[in-house]
Amino acid sequence: MDVNRLQKAQEALDAEIKSFFDSAPPLRNIEDIGKDLRKFVEFNPPQAGTQIDRKVVCVTSGGTTVPLEQRCVRYIDNFSSGHRGAASTEYFLKAGYSVIFLYRKGTRQPYCSLLPDDPFLECLEFTQESGIQVRQPYSEAVKNAISEHHAMLHLVAISMRSIGPHALFYLAAAVSDFYVPWESMAEHKIQSGSGPLDMRLVQVPKMLSRLRSEWAPMAYCISFKLETDVKILLEKANAALRKYKMHMVIANELLTRKEEVTLVTTNEKIHVRRDPKLVGDIVEKHIIKHVVDKHSAYVDNFDHKVSRA
Ligand code: 9Z3
């Protein structure tokens, strides 16, 4: 692409991103989130002169919805359960990372996979002696879930930029590719009875390249590529790697996503699968092991370059 066309493409993307953010209703509690963010940064300062081992990962998890009305009655949704993000978070914590878990309400939470789907009804019992208590089979799982959640509550948001290469983005959320801009959205519930619904969805601008080039240029960035047709999966993952300058793209197919994935980087493809013979073995355990190794090598390489400069 020549310089002129490249600049035009940049300007078009800038305009799309601006119109995407302008058309969205303002973020609620933005001040509180900002406060948490600053607290987290102070809690997690890069320590000059010491070998920093504290790494921070931002895990995005669960699906995103596309509202069709401003006073939303209906929305377009996707399948993501949030399992990948929640399970990966557990392994990141085990590996010593601080985690910002950015998830969709109602999707899977770390440390809750052993709890029943309706924890309040299933986990609790009433006894004359001690009133309401956690039933024995769930007591260990509830204890783990409570203690880990408290640790994570601190970690709502962070300025990832300030910790340079120690920051890792692990973008497992299934992000909608299309949305209805706020100004063209019906205010009230769309009425039925007037024939088929004709609605134009606008493409969500890809923020990945912005994340890499401006928002956190030193961070290690991993995105996911999901397809239903395995024949095009690796080709699409490679294209995303190049186009958005990701450090790694994790390729998965809808039906086998809990069994196997391929970690694609510029010079290798690592196929990772869970061992079905091992009880409790999950693919996230293997993914995070490789991710932690790659991120460590990236940080070492970075520190090495800085010390030589
Ligand atoms: C994924 O591919 C995740 O692995 C899954 C996990 C959403 C499949 P579950 O939440 O499923 O455990 O049920 N996430 C990324 C999907 C995505 O939207 N990728 C974009 C794309 O494919 C790139 S950012 O274009």
Side-chain angles (χ1 to χ4, degrees):
M1 223 191 259
D2 65 44
V3 181
N4 248 338
R5 274 179 60 197
L6 197 68
Q7 177 148 5
K8 283 223 168 77
Q10 280 292 349
E11 284 167 7
L13 181 64
D14 283 346
E16 274 176 48
I17 291 179
K18 186 171 179 322
S19 113
F20 177 79
F21 283 121
D22 286 351
S23 95
L27 195 60
R28 264 180 292 156
N29 303 332
I30 191 160
E31 287 188 1
D32 289 345
I33 295 172
K35 240 186 261 160
D36 282 343
L37 197 142
R38 283 190 292 279
K39 245 194 250 162
F40 189 84
V41 174
E42 279 157 28
F43 174 70
N44 224 347
Q47 292 152 16
T50 58
Q51 202 57 42
I52 320 162
D53 263 326
R54 181 181 280 141
K55 299 195 183 102
V56 183
V57 57
C58 172
V59 175
T60 69
S61 186
T64 52
T65 56
V66 179
L68 300 185
E69 296 122 344
Q70 291 184 353
R71 302 187 189 195
C72 183
V73 175
R74 303 188 187 90
Y75 53 85
I76 300 174
D77 203 354
N78 69 45
F79 71 95
S80 170
S81 66
H83 167 85
R84 174 85 78 224
S88 300
T89 292
E90 295 179 22
Y91 286 98
F92 276 125
L93 288 169
K94 243 182 227 158
Y97 277 73
S98 302
V99 183
I100 300 161
F101 183 59
L102 203 54
Y103 69 101
R104 170 176 168 190
K105 210 171 169 183
T107 56
R108 297 273 163 182
Q109 300 285 298
Y111 299 99
C112 290
S113 57
L114 296 178
L115 297 177
D117 276 347
D118 196 341
F120 282 105
L121 294 183
E122 281 276 327
C123 290
L124 303 179
E125 66 185 358
F126 183 81
T127 64
Q128 285 302 341
E129 309 80 61
S130 39
I132 292 171
Q133 63 178 32
V134 176
R135 281 174 53 211
Q136 213 287 320
Y138 296 115
S139 61
E140 197 56 30
V142 170
K143 203 174 85 196
N144 284 342
I146 290 172
S147 54
E148 296 300 338
H149 268 157
H150 275 124
M152 282 190 290
L153 276 180
H154 285 295
L155 315 179
V156 179
I158 189 182
S159 163
M160 303 283 276
R161 204 173 172 167
S162 64
I163 55 164
H166 296 87
L168 167 62
F169 285 87
Y170 181 85
L171 307 170
V175 183
S176 169
D177 283 330
F178 303 98
Y179 75 110
V180 184
W182 187 252
E183 67 280 358
S184 61
M185 201 186 280
E187 182 187 349
H188 292 285
K189 181 180 169 231
I190 299 167
Q191 296 299 310
S192 58
S194 43
L197 176 61
D198 209 355
M199 179 170 273
R200 195 178 149 77
L201 299 182
V202 176
Q203 188 148 13
V204 175
K206 287 278 183 197
M207 309 286 179
L208 293 180
S209 47
R210 237 0 89 89
L211 171 75
R212 280 288 290 119
S213 62
E214 288 173 24
W215 298 349
M218 286 188 280
Y220 193 86
C221 292
I222 302 174
S223 70
F224 280 74
K225 176 52 72 182
L226 173 75
E227 291 296 338
T228 51
D229 178 357
V230 269
K231 290 200 285 303
I232 61 167
L233 180 59
L234 290 183
E235 181 195 313
K236 293 288 233 171
N238 261 315
L241 191 76
R242 284 195 305 273
K243 187 164 181 196
Y244 305 117
K245 298 193 170 61
M246 290 288 105
H247 297 97
M248 182 190 289
V249 174
I250 302 184
N252 55 174
E253 188 269 324
L254 184 66
L255 292 179
T256 57
R257 70 187 193 278
K258 290 194 174 172
E259 309 302 317
E260 57 182 345
V261 303
T262 307
L263 315 184
V264 181
T265 64
T266 33
N267 41 29
E268 34 180 6
K269 285 186 181 45
I270 307 171
H271 194 69
V272 171
R273 48 171 36 248
R274 76 177 191 95
D275 184 348
K277 293 194 285 300
L278 267 181
V279 180
D281 194 44
I282 61 172
V283 71
E284 284 76 12
K285 178 175 163 191
H286 305 279
I287 299 176
I288 304 308
K289 190 186 164 307
H290 286 286
V291 166
V292 168
D293 287 351
K294 294 282 175 216
H295 186 209
S296 287
Y298 175 78
V299 171
D300 290 348
N301 192 17
F302 216 93
D303 290 345
H304 196 64
K305 274 194 203 146
V306 171
S307 69
R308 274 193 319 196

Short mmCIF file of all heavy atoms in Angstrom, two decimals, residues 202-241:
data_model
loop_
_atom_site.label_atom_id
_atom_site.label_comp_id
_atom_site.label_asym_id
_atom_site.label_seq_id
_atom_site.Cartn_x
_atom_site.Cartn_y
_atom_site.Cartn_z
N VAL A 202 -24.05 -1.76 11.55
CA VAL A 202 -22.80 -1.17 11.08
C VAL A 202 -21.66 -2.02 11.63
O VAL A 202 -21.77 -2.59 12.72
CB VAL A 202 -22.69 0.27 11.63
CG1 VAL A 202 -21.37 0.92 11.27
CG2 VAL A 202 -23.86 1.10 11.13
N GLN A 203 -20.57 -2.10 10.88
CA GLN A 203 -19.44 -2.92 11.34
C GLN A 203 -18.72 -2.25 12.52
O GLN A 203 -18.46 -1.05 12.49
CB GLN A 203 -18.46 -3.09 10.19
CG GLN A 203 -17.39 -4.07 10.54
CD GLN A 203 -16.90 -4.86 9.33
OE1 GLN A 203 -17.18 -4.51 8.19
NE2 GLN A 203 -16.16 -5.89 9.60
N VAL A 204 -18.44 -3.02 13.55
CA VAL A 204 -17.66 -2.49 14.68
C VAL A 204 -16.21 -2.34 14.21
O VAL A 204 -15.64 -3.29 13.69
CB VAL A 204 -17.70 -3.48 15.88
CG1 VAL A 204 -16.78 -3.00 17.02
CG2 VAL A 204 -19.12 -3.66 16.39
N PRO A 205 -15.64 -1.14 14.38
CA PRO A 205 -14.24 -1.01 13.94
C PRO A 205 -13.33 -1.89 14.78
O PRO A 205 -13.54 -2.04 15.98
CB PRO A 205 -13.94 0.47 14.18
CG PRO A 205 -15.00 0.98 15.08
CD PRO A 205 -16.18 0.08 14.96
N LYS A 206 -12.35 -2.51 14.15
CA LYS A 206 -11.43 -3.38 14.88
C LYS A 206 -10.48 -2.52 15.72
O LYS A 206 -9.78 -1.67 15.18
CB LYS A 206 -10.60 -4.22 13.89
CG LYS A 206 -11.42 -5.32 13.25
CD LYS A 206 -11.51 -6.53 14.16
CE LYS A 206 -12.27 -7.66 13.46
NZ LYS A 206 -12.73 -8.68 14.39
N MET A 207 -10.49 -2.75 16.99
CA MET A 207 -9.67 -1.94 17.90
C MET A 207 -8.30 -2.57 18.12
O MET A 207 -7.45 -1.98 18.77
CB MET A 207 -10.35 -1.79 19.26
CG MET A 207 -11.77 -1.33 19.21
SD MET A 207 -11.90 0.41 18.83
CE MET A 207 -13.69 0.60 18.83
N LEU A 208 -8.10 -3.79 17.61
CA LEU A 208 -6.86 -4.50 17.94
C LEU A 208 -5.62 -3.75 17.51
O LEU A 208 -4.64 -3.68 18.25
CB LEU A 208 -6.87 -5.89 17.30
CG LEU A 208 -7.89 -6.89 17.84
CD1 LEU A 208 -7.77 -8.22 17.11
CD2 LEU A 208 -7.71 -7.10 19.33
N SER A 209 -5.67 -3.17 16.29
CA SER A 209 -4.46 -2.49 15.83
C SER A 209 -4.21 -1.24 16.68
O SER A 209 -3.06 -0.86 16.92
CB SER A 209 -4.55 -2.15 14.35
OG SER A 209 -5.78 -1.56 14.08
N ARG A 210 -5.31 -0.61 17.14
CA ARG A 210 -5.16 0.57 18.01
C ARG A 210 -4.54 0.18 19.36
O ARG A 210 -3.71 0.87 19.91
CB ARG A 210 -6.55 1.14 18.26
CG ARG A 210 -6.86 2.59 17.91
CD ARG A 210 -5.76 3.37 17.33
NE ARG A 210 -5.68 3.28 15.89
CZ ARG A 210 -6.30 4.08 15.07
NH1 ARG A 210 -7.04 5.04 15.54
NH2 ARG A 210 -6.15 3.95 13.77
N LEU A 211 -5.00 -0.96 19.85
CA LEU A 211 -4.45 -1.46 21.12
C LEU A 211 -2.94 -1.63 21.00
O LEU A 211 -2.17 -1.20 21.86
CB LEU A 211 -5.10 -2.81 21.45
CG LEU A 211 -4.53 -3.60 22.62
CD1 LEU A 211 -4.96 -2.96 23.94
CD2 LEU A 211 -4.99 -5.05 22.60
N ARG A 212 -2.51 -2.23 19.88
CA ARG A 212 -1.09 -2.49 19.68
C ARG A 212 -0.29 -1.21 19.44
O ARG A 212 0.79 -1.04 19.96
CB ARG A 212 -0.90 -3.41 18.45
CG ARG A 212 -1.15 -4.84 18.71
CD ARG A 212 -0.04 -5.48 19.55
NE ARG A 212 1.21 -5.59 18.80
CZ ARG A 212 2.35 -5.01 19.15
NH1 ARG A 212 2.43 -4.25 20.21
NH2 ARG A 212 3.44 -5.20 18.42
N SER A 213 -0.87 -0.30 18.63
CA SER A 213 -0.05 0.84 18.22
C SER A 213 -0.12 1.99 19.22
O SER A 213 0.85 2.71 19.38
CB SER A 213 -0.45 1.32 16.83
OG SER A 213 -1.78 1.75 16.86
N GLU A 214 -1.26 2.14 19.92
CA GLU A 214 -1.39 3.33 20.76
C GLU A 214 -1.72 3.05 22.22
O GLU A 214 -1.16 3.66 23.12
CB GLU A 214 -2.50 4.24 20.22
CG GLU A 214 -2.11 4.94 18.94
CD GLU A 214 -3.27 5.68 18.33
OE1 GLU A 214 -4.21 6.04 19.06
OE2 GLU A 214 -3.24 5.85 17.11
N TRP A 215 -2.67 2.15 22.46
CA TRP A 215 -3.17 2.01 23.82
C TRP A 215 -2.16 1.33 24.74
O TRP A 215 -2.01 1.73 25.89
CB TRP A 215 -4.50 1.26 23.85
CG TRP A 215 -5.59 1.96 23.10
CD1 TRP A 215 -5.55 3.24 22.62
CD2 TRP A 215 -6.86 1.43 22.73
NE1 TRP A 215 -6.72 3.53 21.97
CE2 TRP A 215 -7.54 2.44 22.02
CE3 TRP A 215 -7.49 0.19 22.92
CZ2 TRP A 215 -8.82 2.27 21.52
CZ3 TRP A 215 -8.77 0.02 22.41
CH2 TRP A 215 -9.42 1.04 21.72
N ALA A 216 -1.52 0.31 24.25
CA ALA A 216 -0.53 -0.40 25.08
C ALA A 216 0.54 -0.98 24.17
O ALA A 216 0.65 -2.19 23.99
CB ALA A 216 -1.22 -1.51 25.88
N PRO A 217 1.34 -0.09 23.57
CA PRO A 217 2.25 -0.55 22.52
C PRO A 217 3.33 -1.53 22.98
O PRO A 217 3.88 -2.25 22.17
CB PRO A 217 2.88 0.74 22.00
CG PRO A 217 2.58 1.79 23.00
CD PRO A 217 1.40 1.35 23.81
N MET A 218 3.60 -1.58 24.30
CA MET A 218 4.66 -2.49 24.75
C MET A 218 4.10 -3.82 25.28
O MET A 218 4.85 -4.74 25.59
CB MET A 218 5.49 -1.83 25.84
CG MET A 218 6.40 -0.75 25.26
SD MET A 218 7.53 -0.13 26.49
CE MET A 218 6.52 0.99 27.39
N ALA A 219 2.80 -3.89 25.41
CA ALA A 219 2.19 -5.10 26.01
C ALA A 219 2.24 -6.28 25.04
O ALA A 219 2.32 -6.11 23.82
CB ALA A 219 0.74 -4.81 26.36
N TYR A 220 2.19 -7.47 25.61
CA TYR A 220 2.11 -8.69 24.81
C TYR A 220 0.62 -8.94 24.54
O TYR A 220 -0.18 -8.99 25.49
CB TYR A 220 2.72 -9.85 25.59
CG TYR A 220 2.97 -11.10 24.75
CD1 TYR A 220 4.15 -11.24 24.02
CD2 TYR A 220 2.04 -12.13 24.71
CE1 TYR A 220 4.38 -12.38 23.26
CE2 TYR A 220 2.28 -13.27 23.96
CZ TYR A 220 3.45 -13.38 23.24
OH TYR A 220 3.69 -14.52 22.48
N CYS A 221 0.25 -9.07 23.28
CA CYS A 221 -1.18 -9.12 22.96
C CYS A 221 -1.57 -10.44 22.29
O CYS A 221 -0.98 -10.83 21.27
CB CYS A 221 -1.55 -7.99 22.01
SG CYS A 221 -1.43 -6.39 22.82
N ILE A 222 -2.60 -11.06 22.85
CA ILE A 222 -3.11 -12.33 22.31
C ILE A 222 -4.59 -12.16 21.98
O ILE A 222 -5.38 -11.78 22.85
CB ILE A 222 -2.96 -13.46 23.35
CG1 ILE A 222 -1.49 -13.60 23.76
CG2 ILE A 222 -3.51 -14.77 22.79
CD1 ILE A 222 -1.28 -14.60 24.89
N SER A 223 -4.94 -12.43 20.73
CA SER A 223 -6.36 -12.43 20.42
C SER A 223 -6.77 -13.85 20.02
O SER A 223 -5.91 -14.72 19.83
CB SER A 223 -6.69 -11.44 19.30
OG SER A 223 -6.17 -11.90 18.08
N PHE A 224 -8.06 -14.08 19.92
CA PHE A 224 -8.57 -15.40 19.55
C PHE A 224 -9.23 -15.32 18.19
O PHE A 224 -9.81 -14.29 17.82
CB PHE A 224 -9.61 -15.86 20.59
CG PHE A 224 -8.99 -16.42 21.83
CD1 PHE A 224 -8.40 -15.58 22.76
CD2 PHE A 224 -8.99 -17.78 22.08
CE1 PHE A 224 -7.82 -16.08 23.91
CE2 PHE A 224 -8.41 -18.31 23.23
CZ PHE A 224 -7.83 -17.46 24.14
N LYS A 225 -9.14 -16.41 17.46
CA LYS A 225 -9.89 -16.48 16.19
C LYS A 225 -10.81 -17.68 16.27
O LYS A 225 -10.38 -18.81 16.50
CB LYS A 225 -8.89 -16.60 15.03
CG LYS A 225 -9.50 -16.78 13.68
CD LYS A 225 -10.54 -15.76 13.32
CE LYS A 225 -10.04 -14.38 13.02
NZ LYS A 225 -11.14 -13.41 12.74
N LEU A 226 -12.07 -17.40 16.10
CA LEU A 226 -13.07 -18.47 16.15
C LEU A 226 -13.68 -18.66 14.76
O LEU A 226 -14.06 -17.69 14.11
CB LEU A 226 -14.19 -18.08 17.12
CG LEU A 226 -15.37 -19.04 17.12
CD1 LEU A 226 -15.03 -20.32 17.85
CD2 LEU A 226 -16.60 -18.40 17.71
N GLU A 227 -13.72 -19.91 14.31
CA GLU A 227 -14.40 -20.22 13.05
C GLU A 227 -15.23 -21.48 13.24
O GLU A 227 -15.00 -22.24 14.20
CB GLU A 227 -13.39 -20.45 11.91
CG GLU A 227 -12.63 -19.22 11.47
CD GLU A 227 -13.49 -18.12 10.86
OE1 GLU A 227 -14.61 -18.43 10.40
OE2 GLU A 227 -13.06 -16.95 10.86
N THR A 228 -16.16 -21.71 12.31
CA THR A 228 -16.90 -22.97 12.33
C THR A 228 -16.40 -23.89 11.22
O THR A 228 -16.74 -25.06 11.18
CB THR A 228 -18.41 -22.71 12.13
OG1 THR A 228 -18.56 -21.90 10.97
CG2 THR A 228 -19.01 -22.01 13.33
N ASP A 229 -15.60 -23.34 10.32
CA ASP A 229 -15.06 -24.11 9.21
C ASP A 229 -13.54 -24.27 9.43
O ASP A 229 -12.79 -23.31 9.28
CB ASP A 229 -15.34 -23.35 7.90
CG ASP A 229 -14.78 -24.06 6.69
OD1 ASP A 229 -14.11 -25.11 6.86
OD2 ASP A 229 -14.99 -23.57 5.57
N VAL A 230 -13.12 -25.50 9.84
CA VAL A 230 -11.69 -25.70 10.15
C VAL A 230 -10.78 -25.42 8.97
O VAL A 230 -9.61 -25.10 9.16
CB VAL A 230 -11.38 -27.15 10.64
CG1 VAL A 230 -11.47 -27.26 12.12
CG2 VAL A 230 -12.20 -28.18 9.93
N LYS A 231 -11.34 -25.54 7.76
CA LYS A 231 -10.49 -25.38 6.57
C LYS A 231 -9.91 -23.96 6.48
O LYS A 231 -8.86 -23.76 5.91
CB LYS A 231 -11.29 -25.71 5.30
CG LYS A 231 -11.61 -27.20 5.19
CD LYS A 231 -11.95 -27.62 3.78
CE LYS A 231 -13.32 -27.18 3.31
NZ LYS A 231 -14.46 -27.63 4.11
N ILE A 232 -10.63 -22.99 7.01
CA ILE A 232 -10.11 -21.61 6.89
C ILE A 232 -9.54 -21.07 8.20
O ILE A 232 -9.05 -19.95 8.26
CB ILE A 232 -11.22 -20.64 6.38
CG1 ILE A 232 -12.42 -20.60 7.36
CG2 ILE A 232 -11.67 -21.01 4.98
CD1 ILE A 232 -13.36 -19.44 7.07
N LEU A 233 -9.59 -21.90 9.26
CA LEU A 233 -9.23 -21.40 10.60
C LEU A 233 -7.79 -20.86 10.69
O LEU A 233 -7.57 -19.72 11.11
CB LEU A 233 -9.48 -22.51 11.64
CG LEU A 233 -9.16 -22.16 13.08
CD1 LEU A 233 -9.97 -20.97 13.56
CD2 LEU A 233 -9.41 -23.36 14.01
N LEU A 234 -6.82 -21.68 10.28
CA LEU A 234 -5.43 -21.27 10.46
C LEU A 234 -5.07 -20.09 9.55
O LEU A 234 -4.34 -19.18 9.93
CB LEU A 234 -4.48 -22.44 10.24
CG LEU A 234 -4.54 -23.50 11.34
CD1 LEU A 234 -3.51 -24.60 11.10
CD2 LEU A 234 -4.32 -22.89 12.72
N GLU A 235 -5.64 -20.13 8.37
CA GLU A 235 -5.41 -19.04 7.41
C GLU A 235 -5.93 -17.72 8.01
O GLU A 235 -5.27 -16.69 7.96
CB GLU A 235 -6.19 -19.44 6.15
CG GLU A 235 -6.15 -18.54 4.97
CD GLU A 235 -7.30 -18.98 4.04
OE1 GLU A 235 -7.46 -20.21 3.78
OE2 GLU A 235 -8.05 -18.10 3.61
N LYS A 236 -7.11 -17.77 8.62
CA LYS A 236 -7.69 -16.56 9.23
C LYS A 236 -6.88 -16.11 10.45
O LYS A 236 -6.71 -14.92 10.68
CB LYS A 236 -9.14 -16.83 9.68
CG LYS A 236 -10.08 -17.07 8.54
CD LYS A 236 -10.31 -15.78 7.82
CE LYS A 236 -11.78 -15.51 7.70
NZ LYS A 236 -12.09 -14.19 7.20
N ALA A 237 -6.39 -17.09 11.22
CA ALA A 237 -5.59 -16.75 12.41
C ALA A 237 -4.30 -16.06 11.96
O ALA A 237 -3.89 -15.05 12.54
CB ALA A 237 -5.29 -18.00 13.21
N ASN A 238 -3.67 -16.60 10.92
CA ASN A 238 -2.45 -15.99 10.39
C ASN A 238 -2.70 -14.58 9.89
O ASN A 238 -1.89 -13.68 10.11
CB ASN A 238 -1.93 -16.82 9.20
CG ASN A 238 -0.83 -17.74 9.67
OD1 ASN A 238 0.06 -17.31 10.40
ND2 ASN A 238 -0.90 -19.00 9.27
N ALA A 239 -3.83 -14.42 9.21
CA ALA A 239 -4.16 -13.09 8.67
C ALA A 239 -4.33 -12.09 9.82
O ALA A 239 -3.84 -10.96 9.75
CB ALA A 239 -5.43 -13.17 7.83
N ALA A 240 -4.99 -12.54 10.91
CA ALA A 240 -5.20 -11.64 12.06
C ALA A 240 -3.87 -11.29 12.71
O ALA A 240 -3.63 -10.15 13.12
CB ALA A 240 -6.14 -12.29 13.07
N LEU A 241 -2.99 -12.28 12.78
CA LEU A 241 -1.66 -12.07 13.38
C LEU A 241 -0.93 -10.94 12.65
O LEU A 241 -0.36 -10.04 13.27
CB LEU A 241 -0.87 -13.38 13.26
CG LEU A 241 0.42 -13.50 14.03
CD1 LEU A 241 0.12 -13.73 15.51
CD2 LEU A 241 1.26 -14.66 13.50
#
